[in-house]
Amino acid sequence: MVADYPEIISYNTVEEILADDEIELIIVNTPNFTHFDFATRALRAGKHVLIEKPAAGNVAEIKALFDIARENGKQVFCYQNRRWDSDFMSFKEIVESGRLGKLTEVTLRWDRYKPQLNIKPFKETKDTPINGIVYELGPHLVDQAIHLFGKPLSFDKLTTIQRELSEVPDYVNFRLTYPAGLVVQIVSGLLTPEPLPAFVAHGSLGSYTKQRSDVQEAQLIAGMLPNDDAYGVEPAGMEGKLVTIGIDGEKSIEFAPSLKGDYVNLFYAVYHAIRENALYPITEEHMAWQMELLEA
């Protein structure tokens, strides 16, 4: 990191970084249970804040953060980067195209096979708040559902513990109901050896299925920069399968090319919100709705 960015300045304490008047934006990327405290301190120090998900532990804290931001003339942003995953963007394009007709059922899932406990104790200790898969992968999936369809009319939620020695929920299943009979299911677990399609949509005129295939996280870990032409481009063979029914009742099958993922768009959105007062796409209402589901 130092070799790549020699001009970077390090701070030994939170107090030091908050006292630097040249800093306008604080990114809170710390353990979940510290998000609310650090974000609150940054806002009161006169900084905008971008908070890793989950932004807080409950609806009351979310509302408090936005109230504190308004009191101090600053803005709160939540880091919901998975809106810019290539697989989700491709799914969204098909869903919003109308090619599936009247939507009847949608599934968003994130399957992993991680039977071992996380090496970070705070993620696996029941006495540590805001933990488990509900708050680890749940915020991504719930945000994607809200981004596509808004606030559900009603919902139910099931969590359970499946891994040996686990103290925190490692499986979650939400069922959201929307107008016109649409049902959205959100599923995530850590004991799935063979992942199912991550994105499934059925409608009166067709179905679409797609595996989870975004490459940005792996590319960034490997050292690729977002300005590389290959950044965010899915490998061949990961296209989503689109099945539509024609007026003659015959099925037509095609494999829809994936869009290019790009997390940089989130940072552009933060920039334009601060500099131009543009509306940040993950709104206060989105965050309150998300937290209502997560903490239920």
PDB file of all heavy atoms in Angstrom, residues 92-105:
ATOM      1  N   LYS A  92     -30.859  -6.982 -13.277  1.00  0.00           N
ATOM      2  CA  LYS A  92     -31.729  -5.806 -13.209  1.00  0.00           C
ATOM      3  C   LYS A  92     -32.167  -5.379 -14.607  1.00  0.00           C
ATOM      4  O   LYS A  92     -33.341  -5.025 -14.827  1.00  0.00           O
ATOM      5  CB  LYS A  92     -30.994  -4.675 -12.506  1.00  0.00           C
ATOM      6  CG  LYS A  92     -31.756  -3.362 -12.383  1.00  0.00           C
ATOM      7  CD  LYS A  92     -30.953  -2.369 -11.547  1.00  0.00           C
ATOM      8  CE  LYS A  92     -31.699  -1.059 -11.368  1.00  0.00           C
ATOM      9  NZ  LYS A  92     -31.637  -0.210 -12.581  1.00  0.00           N
ATOM     10  N   GLU A  93     -31.232  -5.410 -15.555  1.00  0.00           N
ATOM     11  CA  GLU A  93     -31.568  -5.010 -16.917  1.00  0.00           C
ATOM     12  C   GLU A  93     -32.653  -5.901 -17.498  1.00  0.00           C
ATOM     13  O   GLU A  93     -33.610  -5.407 -18.126  1.00  0.00           O
ATOM     14  CB  GLU A  93     -30.317  -5.063 -17.800  1.00  0.00           C
ATOM     15  CG  GLU A  93     -30.570  -4.612 -19.234  1.00  0.00           C
ATOM     16  CD  GLU A  93     -29.315  -4.654 -20.078  1.00  0.00           C
ATOM     17  OE1 GLU A  93     -28.718  -5.754 -20.202  1.00  0.00           O
ATOM     18  OE2 GLU A  93     -28.936  -3.602 -20.622  1.00  0.00           O
ATOM     19  N   ILE A  94     -32.562  -7.209 -17.287  1.00  0.00           N
ATOM     20  CA  ILE A  94     -33.569  -8.129 -17.808  1.00  0.00           C
ATOM     21  C   ILE A  94     -34.905  -7.922 -17.097  1.00  0.00           C
ATOM     22  O   ILE A  94     -35.971  -7.855 -17.733  1.00  0.00           O
ATOM     23  CB  ILE A  94     -33.107  -9.593 -17.652  1.00  0.00           C
ATOM     24  CG1 ILE A  94     -31.894  -9.864 -18.538  1.00  0.00           C
ATOM     25  CG2 ILE A  94     -34.248 -10.554 -17.975  1.00  0.00           C
ATOM     26  CD1 ILE A  94     -32.164  -9.794 -20.028  1.00  0.00           C
ATOM     27  N   VAL A  95     -34.873  -7.814 -15.771  1.00  0.00           N
ATOM     28  CA  VAL A  95     -36.099  -7.646 -14.993  1.00  0.00           C
ATOM     29  C   VAL A  95     -36.854  -6.390 -15.419  1.00  0.00           C
ATOM     30  O   VAL A  95     -38.083  -6.400 -15.543  1.00  0.00           O
ATOM     31  CB  VAL A  95     -35.763  -7.600 -13.485  1.00  0.00           C
ATOM     32  CG1 VAL A  95     -36.938  -7.071 -12.669  1.00  0.00           C
ATOM     33  CG2 VAL A  95     -35.362  -8.989 -12.989  1.00  0.00           C
ATOM     34  N   GLU A  96     -36.112  -5.299 -15.647  1.00  0.00           N
ATOM     35  CA  GLU A  96     -36.751  -4.029 -15.984  1.00  0.00           C
ATOM     36  C   GLU A  96     -37.076  -3.883 -17.464  1.00  0.00           C
ATOM     37  O   GLU A  96     -37.745  -2.930 -17.856  1.00  0.00           O
ATOM     38  CB  GLU A  96     -35.859  -2.875 -15.528  1.00  0.00           C
ATOM     39  CG  GLU A  96     -35.705  -2.810 -14.005  1.00  0.00           C
ATOM     40  CD  GLU A  96     -34.851  -1.654 -13.542  1.00  0.00           C
ATOM     41  OE1 GLU A  96     -34.104  -1.096 -14.385  1.00  0.00           O
ATOM     42  OE2 GLU A  96     -34.906  -1.320 -12.348  1.00  0.00           O
ATOM     43  N   SER A  97     -36.617  -4.832 -18.273  1.00  0.00           N
ATOM     44  CA  SER A  97     -36.862  -4.743 -19.722  1.00  0.00           C
ATOM     45  C   SER A  97     -38.294  -5.073 -20.097  1.00  0.00           C
ATOM     46  O   SER A  97     -38.751  -4.721 -21.196  1.00  0.00           O
ATOM     47  CB  SER A  97     -35.920  -5.701 -20.456  1.00  0.00           C
ATOM     48  OG  SER A  97     -36.300  -7.060 -20.225  1.00  0.00           O
ATOM     49  N   GLY A  98     -39.002  -5.777 -19.236  1.00  0.00           N
ATOM     50  CA  GLY A  98     -40.360  -6.212 -19.549  1.00  0.00           C
ATOM     51  C   GLY A  98     -40.426  -7.512 -20.317  1.00  0.00           C
ATOM     52  O   GLY A  98     -41.521  -8.016 -20.596  1.00  0.00           O
ATOM     53  N   ARG A  99     -39.297  -8.087 -20.662  1.00  0.00           N
ATOM     54  CA  ARG A  99     -39.288  -9.298 -21.475  1.00  0.00           C
ATOM     55  C   ARG A  99     -39.841 -10.516 -20.729  1.00  0.00           C
ATOM     56  O   ARG A  99     -40.243 -11.501 -21.364  1.00  0.00           O
ATOM     57  CB  ARG A  99     -37.881  -9.596 -21.981  1.00  0.00           C
ATOM     58  CG  ARG A  99     -37.307  -8.506 -22.873  1.00  0.00           C
ATOM     59  CD  ARG A  99     -35.977  -8.910 -23.463  1.00  0.00           C
ATOM     60  NE  ARG A  99     -36.125 -10.037 -24.390  1.00  0.00           N
ATOM     61  CZ  ARG A  99     -35.111 -10.649 -24.992  1.00  0.00           C
ATOM     62  NH1 ARG A  99     -33.868 -10.252 -24.719  1.00  0.00           N
ATOM     63  NH2 ARG A  99     -35.307 -11.646 -25.820  1.00  0.00           N
ATOM     64  N   LEU A 100     -39.873 -10.443 -19.415  1.00  0.00           N
ATOM     65  CA  LEU A 100     -40.410 -11.556 -18.638  1.00  0.00           C
ATOM     66  C   LEU A 100     -41.906 -11.429 -18.393  1.00  0.00           C
ATOM     67  O   LEU A 100     -42.526 -12.326 -17.816  1.00  0.00           O
ATOM     68  CB  LEU A 100     -39.682 -11.660 -17.287  1.00  0.00           C
ATOM     69  CG  LEU A 100     -38.169 -11.840 -17.343  1.00  0.00           C
ATOM     70  CD1 LEU A 100     -37.594 -11.939 -15.940  1.00  0.00           C
ATOM     71  CD2 LEU A 100     -37.786 -13.068 -18.167  1.00  0.00           C
ATOM     72  N   GLY A 101     -42.498 -10.323 -18.843  1.00  0.00           N
ATOM     73  CA  GLY A 101     -43.916 -10.108 -18.610  1.00  0.00           C
ATOM     74  C   GLY A 101     -44.178  -9.695 -17.176  1.00  0.00           C
ATOM     75  O   GLY A 101     -43.348  -9.063 -16.515  1.00  0.00           O
ATOM     76  N   LYS A 102     -45.343 -10.078 -16.669  1.00  0.00           N
ATOM     77  CA  LYS A 102     -45.687  -9.783 -15.281  1.00  0.00           C
ATOM     78  C   LYS A 102     -44.864 -10.679 -14.368  1.00  0.00           C
ATOM     79  O   LYS A 102     -44.955 -11.904 -14.436  1.00  0.00           O
ATOM     80  CB  LYS A 102     -47.175 -10.028 -15.036  1.00  0.00           C
ATOM     81  CG  LYS A 102     -47.588  -9.861 -13.585  1.00  0.00           C
ATOM     82  CD  LYS A 102     -49.027 -10.322 -13.367  1.00  0.00           C
ATOM     83  CE  LYS A 102     -49.360 -10.323 -11.873  1.00  0.00           C
ATOM     84  NZ  LYS A 102     -50.730 -10.823 -11.605  1.00  0.00           N
ATOM     85  N   LEU A 103     -44.061 -10.071 -13.520  1.00  0.00           N
ATOM     86  CA  LEU A 103     -43.217 -10.854 -12.624  1.00  0.00           C
ATOM     87  C   LEU A 103     -44.062 -11.561 -11.574  1.00  0.00           C
ATOM     88  O   LEU A 103     -44.988 -10.977 -10.993  1.00  0.00           O
ATOM     89  CB  LEU A 103     -42.193  -9.960 -11.939  1.00  0.00           C
ATOM     90  CG  LEU A 103     -41.082  -9.388 -12.821  1.00  0.00           C
ATOM     91  CD1 LEU A 103     -40.215  -8.437 -11.998  1.00  0.00           C
ATOM     92  CD2 LEU A 103     -40.224 -10.498 -13.403  1.00  0.00           C
ATOM     93  N   THR A 104     -43.708 -12.821 -11.304  1.00  0.00           N
ATOM     94  CA  THR A 104     -44.431 -13.608 -10.313  1.00  0.00           C
ATOM     95  C   THR A 104     -43.538 -14.040  -9.156  1.00  0.00           C
ATOM     96  O   THR A 104     -43.984 -14.103  -8.011  1.00  0.00           O
ATOM     97  CB  THR A 104     -45.046 -14.856 -10.960  1.00  0.00           C
ATOM     98  OG1 THR A 104     -43.994 -15.616 -11.598  1.00  0.00           O
ATOM     99  CG2 THR A 104     -46.091 -14.467 -12.002  1.00  0.00           C
ATOM    100  N   GLU A 105     -42.289 -14.363  -9.456  1.00  0.00           N
ATOM    101  CA  GLU A 105     -41.395 -14.866  -8.418  1.00  0.00           C
ATOM    102  C   GLU A 105     -39.954 -14.478  -8.736  1.00  0.00           C
ATOM    103  O   GLU A 105     -39.498 -14.640  -9.867  1.00  0.00           O
ATOM    104  CB  GLU A 105     -41.502 -16.383  -8.312  1.00  0.00           C
ATOM    105  CG  GLU A 105     -40.622 -16.999  -7.241  1.00  0.00           C
ATOM    106  CD  GLU A 105     -40.720 -18.520  -7.214  1.00  0.00           C
ATOM    107  OE1 GLU A 105     -41.428 -19.096  -8.068  1.00  0.00           O
ATOM    108  OE2 GLU A 105     -40.075 -19.126  -6.338  1.00  0.00           O
TER     109      GLU A 105
END
